[in-house]
Amino acid sequence: MSFASNLMIWYREHGRDLPWRNTQDPYVIWLSEIILQQTRVEQGLPYFHRFLDAFPIVTKFAEADEEEVLRLWQGLGYYSRARNMHKAAKMVISEFAGDFPTRYADVIRLPGVGEYTAAAIASFSVNEPKAVVDGNVYRVLSRYFGISEPINGSKGKKMFAALAQELLDVEHAATYNQAIMDFGALQCKPKKPLCGTCTFQLDCVALKEDIVDNLPVKLKGKASRDRYFHYFIIRKDDSILMSKRGTSDVWANLYEFPMIETERDVDMEELRALNDFATYFPPNAPLLELGKVAKHILSHQNIYAKFYILDDADALRLKKSGWNYHLLEKIDTLAKHKLIFSFLEKNKQLINPKI
DNA sequence: AACCCGGGGTT
DNA sequence: AACCCAGGGTT
């Protein structure tokens, strides 16, 4: 029995029933695949329904503006996915006459679609024989064949891509690709894999050599860095001052409160002494520090955020470009990052005492 | 080849 | 705290 056949037999009995598996529409598959990049199925599922509801066909997606797309994406992370999706939708209109492409060579041209996603769309929609290589595939193959080459080095990437393509059942590309990913997610899990009930017990090199827990091998990246953000809540009548972030840092194009960043943790006295502070506020600006420090962990940054209320909006010296007052009742229409909207959730009455 | 880009679950 | 998730883009 071949690896592929054994895998598909397992899949027929244990595979998950997921909404995007009941279609061959490349647009719907694309939607699901972008959402699921580095994102667990349970986390992405509500967003899949939300987007399909808002944009049933790619034309509607292309007609939307970026603000609306980002607002729908709010809270999911890796926001470049949303911006790239929007560009891709427009590209489907301009370069494919609104007909969503299915061939690997075509879909990989779309922004936000790399080798994995192109293989997924091409195989799921028209059974093009392209093997997917995602985190599940790296894990399953490294264990089954006992390969200790790091999966994130250039040599390893090529090795696993070639091996995956060799193993693919070219007559059943869609089913095979779904099968190996479900097998990785449900049976050959990262931690505590279910080797005791595994259909590959007799063939798995890692199990035979008792090195399952050591595979796959992955090179470590840089340690995360600490950042200190000081947010200023500045209200004027029924409005609040919001700042739109730039494009070269985390949370690109999303809204937050006006903010000063410092290299280390500083108290309010040190904050007042900064040049940045003097630019925007008078030295004696009435500030009220709120609650405790909010620690927000990203995969590569630890952000420590403090929030201050500026009691007198008229004390603001300079309104930086990108800082604008927004009506409190319209605040929900702005796409904000997680740190800000969790703060807003917890401090509703503080921000808007009328509620 | 190294680094950047989120939020959340599991161990 | 470390690791992972249906990865992709930039430098």
Side-chain angles (χ1 to χ4, degrees), chain A residues 80-343:
Chain A
S80 67
R81 290 183 290 172
R83 297 191 305 276
N84 281 333
M85 272 185 119
H86 191 220
K87 287 183 202 160
K90 288 179 177 295
M91 197 167 145
V92 170
I93 306 305
S94 62
E95 297 198 24
F96 297 95
D99 198 9
F100 207 101
T102 59
R103 299 210 319 272
Y104 181 92
D106 289 330
V107 289
I108 203 167
R109 294 178 48 213
L110 301 172
V113 175
E115 291 177 9
Y116 161 77
T117 305
I121 296 173
S123 63
F124 299 159
S125 64
V126 294
N127 260 299
E128 185 173 338
K130 289 285 188 179
V132 294
V133 184
D134 73 335
N136 293 304
V137 175
Y138 282 121
R139 187 168 57 253
V140 171
L141 298 187
S142 69
R143 286 175 177 169
Y144 183 89
F145 293 100
I147 302 171
S148 51
E149 182 68 28
I151 60 172
N152 54 344
S154 58
K155 185 176 172 188
K157 284 183 195 169
K158 284 178 190 165
M159 181 187 295
F160 282 99
L163 179 56
Q165 189 62 31
E166 225 175 275
L167 294 167
L168 174 70
D169 181 338
V170 295
E171 298 299 320
H172 308 92
T175 306
Y176 171 86
N177 277 339
Q178 302 276 21
I180 192 166
M181 290 194 286
D182 258 10
F183 183 78
L186 303 175
Q187 187 89 24
C188 196
K189 301 183 294 176
K191 305 290 180 187
K192 296 166 67 169
L194 310 178
C195 301
T197 61
C198 185
T199 182
F200 293 118
Q201 277 180 30
L202 297 180
D203 313 293
C204 180
V205 173
L207 183 60
K208 278 188 283 195
E209 298 184 1
D210 195 26
I211 52 173
V212 174
D213 290 340
N214 303 331
L215 295 175
V217 173
K218 197 171 182 178
L219 272 25
K220 288 191 202 303
K222 245 181 61 172
S224 17
R225 68 171 164 139
D226 293 335
R227 303 177 73 174
Y228 302 88
F229 288 1
H230 304 267
Y231 283 113
F232 300 94
I233 298 158
I234 304 169
R235 284 193 43 196
K236 198 185 182 82
D237 303 322
D238 290 330
S239 297
I240 187 165
L241 194 58
M242 299 297 284
S243 162
K244 187 170 183 171
R245 290 183 63 84
T247 55
S248 59
D249 197 356
V250 291
W251 299 319
N253 298 0
L254 298 189
Y255 288 88
E256 61 185 9
F257 305 127
M259 187 268 285
I260 290 177
E261 178 172 2
T262 55
E263 292 284 336
R264 56 182 181 82
D265 189 20
V266 299
D267 61 23
M268 206 190 295
E269 289 315 305
E270 293 175 284
L271 185 62
R272 285 180 187 278
L274 297 172
N275 286 335
D276 268 359
F277 188 91
T279 306
Y280 301 112
F281 310 106
N284 59 346
L287 284 186
L288 177 64
E289 185 173 344
L290 285 179
K292 54 183 195 309
V293 178
K295 184 176 182 182
H296 191 84
I297 309 290
L298 306 181
S299 50
H300 51 301
Q301 299 182 19
N302 305 316
I303 295 174
Y304 300 89
K306 286 180 180 173
F307 294 86
Y308 308 83
I309 292 184
L310 178 68
D311 248 346
D312 179 9
D314 296 325
L316 186 70
R317 278 188 158 163
L318 174 68
K319 200 150 73 65
K320 196 177 180 178
S321 72
W323 290 10
N324 288 107
Y325 283 101
H326 293 267
L327 286 173
L328 285 171
E329 60 193 71
K330 300 266 190 175
I331 199 95
D332 287 341
T333 66
L334 302 180
K336 302 167 291 295
H337 59 78
K338 183 75 186 182
L339 178 53
I340 294 301
F341 74 69
S342 14
F343 175 85

Side-chain angles (χ1 to χ4, degrees), chain A residues 31 35 44 46-55 60-61 64-77 79 82 85 254 332-336:
Chain A
L31 209 51
I35 288 172
Y47 287 85
F48 172 72
H49 293 300
R50 186 190 299 184
F51 270 85
L52 203 52
D53 201 42
F55 312 126
K60 299 290 183 188
F61 204 131
D65 52 42
E66 184 179 290
E67 295 284 333
E68 184 185 1
V69 177
L70 281 174
R71 190 168 48 76
L72 286 166
W73 197 270
Q74 178 176 294
L76 195 55
Y79 296 89
M85 272 185 119
L254 298 189
D332 287 341
T333 66
L334 302 180
K336 302 167 291 295

